[in-house]
Amino acid sequence: MEKLITKFKKAAPKAALLMAVAAGAALQGCSKMGGDNAGATATALSSDAAAAVYVAPGKHDELYSFLSGGFNGQVSVYGLPSGRLLKIIPVFTQHGENGYGYSEESKAMLQTSHGFVPWDDLHHPKLSRSDGMTDGRWLFVNGNNTPRVARIDLTTFETVEIMEIPNSAGNHCSPYPTNNNEYVIAGTRFSVPLDMKGGTSDIALDKYSEEFKGSISFIKIDQEKGDMELDFQILVPGFDYDLANGGKGPSEDWVYFTTYNTEKAGTLKEVGASQNDKDFLAAINWKLAAKYAKEGKAREMPANYYHNKMDKDTHMAKSTVKKKVRYLLPEECPGMMYLLPAPKSPHGIDVDPTGEHMVVSGKLASSIPVFSFSKMQDAIKNKAFDGEKNGIPVLKYESVLAAEVKEPGLGPLHTEFDGKGNAYTSMFVSSEVVKWKLSDFTVVDRIPVYYSVGHLMIPGGDTKKPLGKYLVAMNKITKDRYLPTGPELAHSAQLIDISGEKMKLLLDFPTVAEPHYAQAIVADKIAPNSVKFHKLEDNKHPHAVKKEADASVTREGKNTIRVKLTAIRSHMTPDNIEGVQLGDTVYFHVTNLEQDWDVPHGFAIMGANNAEALIMPGATQTLKWVPKKAGVYPFYCTDFCSALHQEMQGYIRVSPKGSNVPIIFSTGKKKTGPVASSK
Amino acid sequence: MAEEPGLAHEAATEATEADDGKGIGPVKSVEMGEGIDEALASEGKSLFEGKCSACHQLSDQKVVGPGLAGVTERRKPEWVMNMIINPEEMTKKDPAAKKLLAEHLTQMTNQNVNEKDARSILEYLRQNDQAI
Ligand SMILES: [Cu+2]
């Protein structure tokens, strides 16, 4: 049988990727897409591309970028322009590599009202902001499937907080920080029938249009520490809320949401949700909403959702279950929410750096409508309404439209900005990035991407001050771009130089799982604050031992053994343990005594049913182990830490239940020093 | 994670100045009294137990690092303090410390000890040596 790759390379016609490819065809047969691939790359690639992305050995990248991992529930960190993978940050998914979600300390991070949910679909990373610009303090991300919002601390690159979102399903339209992190906003993609008691009601599915509702959550952010708190929700008509973005400058009080399925179809949405010629862009004045909530317009309903936080001193996560949520109804809050008609099933909503233009990419539309904030203000003032939906005024399309970008390409999805008056829109169906001018809405350049680009990202391209130097295209389809690896391929990102008039392709790099969106920031805003190790004296873990003399093995109650262990190059204390019995649950609390950068120790024991532990210098991590047979079990350090790493090993003896082996533990046979012996 | 820098790293950084036996680091001279300052030594003891005892015995027994019995007789006090405060540079540039690394093959960690604390640890090591 002919292999996919060779077939593709040989059979592909030389047809250009651009407008010639009919809608849909790009997704179906690979023989129809592509073209003479090598040739296409060569023409698009400028001769100095290698120099532009070369970061010499030992030198650092100019930017950090944070790419979501989609269905892997993680975030990957890449250096730009090199495309070097720097780290994978586990958020909603257990991570065998460092024990996240397996260790006793971190398990609580993944608790939800549905129980322990160790995975999710992570879509949108958004950096925290100060004055409308990224400030490098935190990264907010959404869990789409079991609605959650998480916060990553960028001094440690660790997930420190996860909050479940009640009254939501498919938390796609999320998370969007306002210009000074006042709120992070999260909208539901799948409307559901709310029972107003914290759950969904058991009703016939053909009642969709009457009973289903959406919600938009306003999460208040502590300005100093970043901690999240669900302040209130707005219950909105049962559309599908897809993506959101906030205003800037004059429009900074506003946040916008694309909606589709305004037909309120509950089945075969593929057809049913595309009947209306126009869906809506919802505009919400979040400052007014916050004011209404504060001034008593909010009602309260029972709820049941988890809020999990990692304590930075104990390195332990704790869950709190919240039992109430406040909500506003738009019909009771005049001036808070408006609907702007937008062509067929809009997807991306992106606001230009000045805050005047709202670009709505209708994935099925043939042009890109650009709305004007100042016109919207006038239309509201003059009541240029075209009826209402559920008590929410619908503004007249013409009264809010600035212009339509004509014939941009096929399948527009997302737009970012370079801060020099240009917008860049990704075209999923025609596989290209299209550059157009905000001054006259004309297309000025286009570049093919390989293949079927979803999101694109310019560093700060969604803020007041973009860095108009690079653009990263995140492509949904990889096909022949790299050496084949069987049916499952890495997704592909492409780095494009946007500093000049013409876009230039610089680099391809494979990414982890499926990036949906990304953020990038100059390294100087993060690197100087990066934590190198945890100070032992600040370690407040209840089972930490800070010196070998305090290491211990104790029986607690009937069946629990607590081993408080230390690790330092190149031994563990204790490394000989006896007195464990079948039926015991053993907790290994391992404290890494090193006080130096990049000296983690690992901990693994034969037959452990969870994961290994990886302990950073100065930290304590716990591995739970339940032996199932009597005998002797080795444990060892899994991280190559020193020349004697292979020796960093010990044994634990397990005896039958009721045996009379006492608990004893030791490390080596040590001679006592003169001071001790002279006393 | 990173392994210790290998010999290739060291070759490039030969000691240039004449070796005065005081080591390399911030400590140029140490004032010492006749006897042992007991209060200072007991401060040193608790620091030693927390930050050093995992790798060092007070006897002549090697664990990760050399046994420290007699170290204040083998080395100048400045050298000992510099080794405590500045172990990475010492094992790269100081001839005696370089030899120790070649023998023990584990880079002594920088335990973030300041000069004042290094001084009390030195007193504790002196006390240990006087007890022999
Ligand atoms: Cu180790």
Side-chain angles (χ1 to χ4, degrees):
Chain A
M1 196 191 88
E2 202 178 11
K3 300 274 184 337
L4 176 69
I5 181 136
T6 48
K7 184 169 151 209
F8 172 55
K9 285 269 190 197
K10 284 185 207 144
K14 208 163 180 142
L17 269 172
L18 304 180
M19 304 298 291
V21 180
L27 287 180
Q28 280 142 25
C30 61
S31 62
K32 281 247 177 70
M33 64 184 292
D36 183 42
N37 185 45
T41 308
T43 44
L45 200 60
S46 67
S47 55
D48 51 1
V53 301
Y54 183 69
V55 176
K59 295 282 180 244
H60 292 172
D61 276 294
E62 181 185 343
L63 300 150
Y64 283 100
S65 69
F66 299 90
L67 276 64
S68 74
F71 42 71
N72 78 356
Q74 302 167 329
V75 170
S76 7
V77 186
Y78 287 84
L80 294 179
S82 74
R84 291 172 179 171
L85 176 63
L86 304 177
K87 191 184 176 90
I88 291 177
I89 307 172
V91 184
F92 298 113
T93 301
Q94 286 176 308
H95 198 44
E97 182 177 320
N98 63 5
Y100 176 85
Y102 292 100
S103 69
E104 296 306 301
E105 285 76 12
S106 58
K107 270 180 180 168
M109 291 302 281
L110 303 178
Q111 278 299 339
T112 75
S113 63
H114 305 269
F116 185 68
V117 180
W119 53 76
D120 213 311
D121 182 18
L122 187 159
H123 280 235
H124 308 121
K126 280 274 184 179
L127 287 162
S128 58
R129 276 120 219 261
S130 296
D131 191 24
M133 266 112 49
T134 54
D135 60 16
R137 295 203 285 166
W138 311 300
L139 185 75
F140 296 98
V141 294
N142 66 325
N144 194 44
N145 180 38
T146 303
R148 288 175 279 179
V149 170
R151 180 170 59 92
I152 295 165
D153 183 331
L154 294 178
T155 64
T156 56
F157 284 61
E158 285 169 3
T159 305
V160 292
E161 194 175 3
I162 296 183
M163 192 170 74
E164 202 181 349
I165 309 290
N167 297 327
S168 178
N171 174 43
H172 187 263
C173 188
S174 161
Y176 293 90
T178 55
N179 287 302
N180 290 294
N181 308 323
E182 294 96 338
Y183 282 102
V184 163
I185 297 168
T188 180
R189 183 164 79 187
F190 308 134
S191 287
V192 280
L194 302 178
D195 68 1
M196 306 303 274
K197 288 183 224 142
T200 59
S201 15
D202 168 23
I203 61 158
L205 293 179
D206 62 9
K207 293 276 190 309
Y208 187 106
S209 66
E210 303 94 81
E211 300 283 346
F212 284 44
K213 278 214 167 295
S215 71
I216 291 169
S217 302
F218 289 73
I219 302 164
K220 206 172 193 154
I221 304 302
D222 182 285
Q223 296 292 305
E224 286 292 303
K225 302 203 195 95
D227 296 58
M228 304 190 281
E229 188 203 315
L230 180 53
D231 192 16
F232 63 93
Q233 300 188 307
I234 302 179
L235 299 190
V236 286
F239 314 149
D240 290 25
Y241 295 80
D242 202 9
L243 285 162
N245 253 313
K248 302 168 180 105
S251 59
E252 72 177 4
D253 295 356
W254 292 80
V255 57
Y256 308 98
F257 306 83
T258 49
T259 70
Y260 63 98
N261 193 27
T262 53
E263 301 83 354
K264 297 191 186 173
T267 180
L268 198 65
K269 291 196 182 190
E270 188 180 5
V271 179
S274 310
Q275 293 303 306
N276 287 356
D277 188 39
K278 294 215 165 50
D279 291 289
F280 298 115
L281 179 70
I284 291 183
N285 184 324
W286 66 263
K287 274 212 180 132
L288 189 56
K291 186 162 173 270
Y292 278 134
K294 200 168 167 201
E295 290 176 356
K297 284 259 187 202
R299 300 155 183 248
E300 201 173 86
M301 70 167 117
N304 183 35
Y305 64 99
Y306 272 66
H307 186 187
N308 311 321
K309 277 193 204 180
M310 181 66 78
D311 184 282
K312 81 175 190 350
D313 296 321
T314 60
H315 306 285
M316 290 171 86
K318 214 175 111 194
S319 300
T320 320
V321 185
K322 302 280 171 80
K323 291 288 181 191
K324 281 192 278 219
V325 65
R326 303 197 304 154
Y327 65 99
L328 295 172
L329 297 173
E331 55 270 33
E332 297 178 352
C333 300
M336 181 178 77
M337 182 168 180
Y338 296 92
L339 297 172
L340 288 65
K344 283 178 171 291
S345 302
H347 188 57
I349 155 70
D350 300 284
V351 182
D352 84 312
T354 68
E356 167 62 10
H357 293 120
M358 295 94 87
V359 180
V360 175
S361 306
K363 53 192 189 268
L364 307 176
S366 56
S367 61
I368 303 172
V370 181
F371 294 113
S372 149
F373 175 72
S374 45
K375 283 182 119 180
M376 181 180 102
Q377 292 301 85
D378 290 343
I380 291 172
K381 211 186 302 153
N382 305 331
K383 298 206 157 54
F385 299 152
D386 198 355
E388 49 131 72
K389 272 253 171 181
N390 297 57
I392 306 163
V394 177
L395 299 169
K396 285 207 175 83
Y397 183 65
E398 296 73 23
S399 72
V400 288
L401 189 73
E404 286 178 350
V405 181
K406 299 286 184 207
E407 302 195 345
L410 300 181
L413 288 185
H414 302 281
T415 302
E416 295 246 312
F417 308 90
D418 65 4
K420 297 178 279 189
N422 302 301
Y424 300 75
T425 302
S426 56
M427 299 291 165
F428 177 74
V429 177
S430 55
S431 284
E432 59 185 328
V433 171
V434 172
K435 173 178 175 181
W436 51 275
K437 287 215 299 250
L438 282 156
S439 55
D440 60 9
F441 309 97
T442 56
V443 172
V444 290
D445 192 23
R446 44 181 85 236
I447 188 169
V449 285
Y450 306 91
Y451 305 94
S452 298
V453 58
H455 273 278
L456 46 67
M457 178 274 287
I458 292 170
D462 56 342
T463 69
K464 266 171 46 182
K465 279 216 180 112
L467 177 72
K469 190 169 172 188
Y470 302 113
L471 180 151
V472 177
M474 283 155 272
N475 305 321
K476 298 292 183 194
I477 292 175
T478 305
K479 301 274 192 204
D480 64 342
R481 292 304 282 184
Y482 310 113
L483 285 173
T485 55
E488 188 181 343
L489 305 172
H491 280 231
S492 170
Q494 293 188 293
L495 184 73
I496 294 166
D497 176 353
I498 56 163
S499 60
E501 244 170 68
K502 303 240 19 118
M503 292 180 272
K504 287 186 227 158
L505 177 59
L506 296 177
L507 180 74
D508 269 27
F509 60 99
T511 55
V512 181
E514 184 187 354
H516 287 265
Y517 184 50
Q519 295 271 274
I521 182 169
V522 287
D524 292 349
K525 285 201 194 170
I526 292 182
N529 306 324
S530 200
V531 168
K532 294 196 161 133
F533 58 86
H534 305 290
K535 285 206 181 106
L536 259 183
E537 58 254 43
D538 296 342
N539 178 339
K540 304 234 159 58
H541 192 293
H543 302 298
V545 282
K546 301 190 184 178
K547 50 185 186 203
E548 293 190 336
D550 295 343
S552 66
V553 180
T554 44
R555 180 173 289 283
E556 266 184 30
K558 267 202 173 130
N559 301 17
T560 301
I561 300 272
R562 242 176 241 295
V563 181
K564 299 186 187 178
L565 211 101
T566 61
I568 193 161
R569 287 164 287 175
S570 307
H571 59 272
M572 289 182 269
T573 304
D575 67 4
N576 275 210
I577 301 168
E578 301 187 25
V580 175
Q581 299 183 4
L582 263 187
D584 286 345
T585 295
V586 183
Y587 291 96
F588 292 99
H589 304 288
V590 189
T591 302
N592 180 344
L593 292 183
E594 310 277 357
Q595 288 292 275
D596 200 359
W597 196 20
D598 199 17
V599 198
H601 289 291
F603 183 83
I605 179 152
M606 195 160 91
N609 292 109
N610 35 21
E612 300 156 16
L614 185 68
I615 311 109
M616 294 304 126
T620 304
Q621 290 282 298
T622 304
L623 189 75
K624 178 179 162 184
W625 181 64
V626 185
K628 297 189 187 59
K629 274 187 280 190
V632 166
Y633 295 80
F635 55 84
Y636 71 105
C637 169
T638 49
D639 188 317
F640 201 106
C641 55
S642 63
L644 296 172
H645 160 76
Q646 297 298 82
E647 283 74 6
M648 195 161 174
Q649 189 238 298
Y651 292 102
I652 186 164
R653 173 181 170 193
V654 178
S655 307
K657 200 170 179 66
S659 90
N660 58 7
V661 179
I663 289 186
I664 49 170
F665 58 95
S666 59
T667 298
K669 289 190 181 53
K670 285 175 186 166
K671 290 203 244 170
T672 44
V675 169
S677 53
S678 72
K679 291 223 164 122
Chain B
M1 68 136 283
E3 234 190 293
E4 317 304 343
L7 293 173
H9 284 258
E10 289 169 47
T13 50
E14 282 298 329
T16 43
E17 284 165 48
D19 184 18
D20 60 2
K22 291 187 174 181
I24 296 156
V27 183
K28 305 293 176 214
S29 70
V30 184
E31 305 253 320
M32 279 183 301
E34 289 276 294
I36 299 296
D37 179 338
E38 298 284 340
L40 196 60
S42 88
E43 262 171 51
K45 179 175 195 279
S46 69
L47 285 163
F48 186 88
E49 280 167 3
K51 297 196 168 194
C52 324
S53 63
C55 295
H56 292 290
Q57 295 290 295
L58 290 170
S59 64
D60 61 359
Q61 188 187 22
K62 170 202 157 72
V63 194
V64 181
L68 292 181
V71 71
T72 60
E73 284 145 23
R74 286 203 292 283
R75 317 277 185 209
K76 290 193 176 162
E78 294 82 3
W79 189 97
V80 173
M81 284 179 66
N82 283 327
M83 185 69 195
I84 297 171
I85 297 167
N86 191 29
E88 288 107 338
E89 198 182 2
M90 283 286 283
T91 53
K92 279 190 195 101
K93 297 186 182 161
D94 179 85
K98 272 170 75 174
K99 252 190 226 143
L100 283 173
L101 174 62
E103 189 183 327
H104 297 276
L105 297 172
T106 297
Q107 169 64 54
M108 165 162 156
T109 23
N110 184 333
Q111 294 289 78
N112 285 308
V113 180
N114 61 28
E115 239 178 280
K116 184 178 150 285
D117 288 348
R119 179 65 189 84
S120 46
I121 294 173
L122 172 69
E123 200 66 7
Y124 178 56
L125 294 175
R126 288 181 67 219
Q127 184 187 44
N128 186 52
D129 288 346
Q130 295 206 346
I132 297 178

